[in-house]
C-alpha cells in the first residue's frame, strides 16, 4: 500500500487532527463544557449593546474556554462523555438526528441574535432558551454516540 503521509497537505491534516484532539481533551473537562453552555446568553450581548468591544470579549472567551481547563481525570462525567462523543461524531459529515438538532439549535441562535439586534426580549430570551435546551439534547445524543463507539471498541477486543 502506498504511504499517504508524504503527500502535500498530509502534515497539515495530521497537525489539525492533533490540535483538535488536544482541544477536545481539554474541552471535555466538565467545567469547560458547562461554563461554555452557561455562556450561550453572552453571544447575544454584543448585538444587544451594539458594542464591538463586548463582541471581542465574548469571542475571546468562547475561543479560550475549550483550552483553559485541564483534561479531566476520567470520563465518568456526563459532559465529558458528551464532548468526547462530539469529537468522534464530528470526524465525518453526518445527516442524522444530531445533525438536525444542531441545525435547529443554530437557527435558534440566529433568531436570538436577530432579536437582540432589535432589542426584543420576547424574541431573544425564548430563542436562547431553545438553543440551550437543544444543546443539552445534542449532548445526550453525543453521550449515546460515545457509548456506542465505546461498546463497539470493547466487542472487537
Amino acid at each position: 500500500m502506498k504511504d499517504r503521509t508524504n503527500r502535500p497537505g498530509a502534515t497539515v491534516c495530521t497537525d489539525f487532527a492533533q490540535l483538535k484532539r488536544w482541544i477536545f481533551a481539554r474541552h471535555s473537562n466538565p467545567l469547560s463544557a458547562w461554563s461554555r453552555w452557561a455562556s450561550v446568553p453572552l453571544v447575544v450581548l454584543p448585538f444587544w449593546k451594539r458594542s464591538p468591544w463586548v463582541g471581542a470579549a465574548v469571542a475571546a472567551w468562547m475561543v479560550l474556554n475549550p483550552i483553559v481547563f485541564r483534561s479531566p481525570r476520567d470520563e465518568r462525567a456526563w459532559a465529558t462523555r458528551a464532548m468526547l462523543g462530539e469529537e468522534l461524531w464530528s470526524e465525518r459529515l453526518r445527516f442524522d438526528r444530531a445533525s438536525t438538532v444542531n441545525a435547529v439549535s443554530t437557527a435558534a441562535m440566529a433568531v436570538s441574535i436577530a432579536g437582540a439586534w432589535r432589542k426584543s426580549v420576547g424574541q431573544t430570551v425564548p430563542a436562547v432558551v431553545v438553543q440551550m435546551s437543544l444543546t443539552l439534547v445534542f449532548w445526550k445524543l453525543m453521550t449515546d454516540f460515545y457509548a456506542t463507539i465505546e461498546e463497539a471498541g470493547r466487542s472487537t477486543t
Side-chain angles (χ1 to χ4, degrees):
M1 182 178 266
K2 194 173 186 179
D3 179 17
R4 297 182 184 271
T5 58
N6 290 329
R7 71 180 192 270
T11 304
V12 173
C13 290
T14 303
D15 291 346
F16 178 75
Q18 289 174 339
L19 177 63
K20 181 181 168 193
R21 171 80 282 268
W22 180 79
I23 290 170
F24 267 101
R26 291 171 159 273
H27 188 43
S28 65
N29 183 317
L31 291 173
S32 174
W34 286 113
S35 62
R36 189 171 175 111
W37 177 81
S39 299
V40 167
L42 294 178
V43 172
V44 300
L45 195 57
F47 299 95
W48 191 281
K49 296 185 82 48
R50 292 172 174 59
S51 168
W53 298 110
V54 173
V58 171
W61 168 244
M62 295 307 246
V63 167
L64 291 174
N65 173 278
I67 60 175
V68 297
F69 296 94
R70 293 181 167 265
S71 299
R73 287 187 295 262
D74 56 54
E75 297 176 4
R76 288 187 308 220
W78 185 72
T80 296
R81 293 190 317 275
M83 296 308 106
L84 295 175
E86 182 180 4
E87 177 186 14
L88 295 172
W89 178 84
S90 68
E91 288 178 356
R92 68 179 178 88
L93 185 60
R94 299 170 194 276
F95 297 101
D96 56 6
R97 203 165 22 156
S99 297
T100 302
V101 169
N102 202 21
V104 175
S105 178
T106 301
M109 179 176 54
V111 170
S112 70
I113 289 170
W117 186 256
R118 291 199 301 255
K119 296 194 177 202
S120 170
V121 173
Q123 180 179 345
T124 306
V125 172
V128 167
V129 169
V130 167
Q131 182 189 3
M132 293 179 78
S133 300
L134 288 174
T135 297
L136 296 177
V137 171
F138 181 77
W139 285 11
K140 168 66 170 115
L141 294 170
M142 294 300 100
T143 58
D144 294 347
F145 182 79
Y146 188 68
T148 301
I149 297 295
E150 243 187 355
E151 186 60 37
R154 273 190 240 127
S155 66
T156 60
T157 55

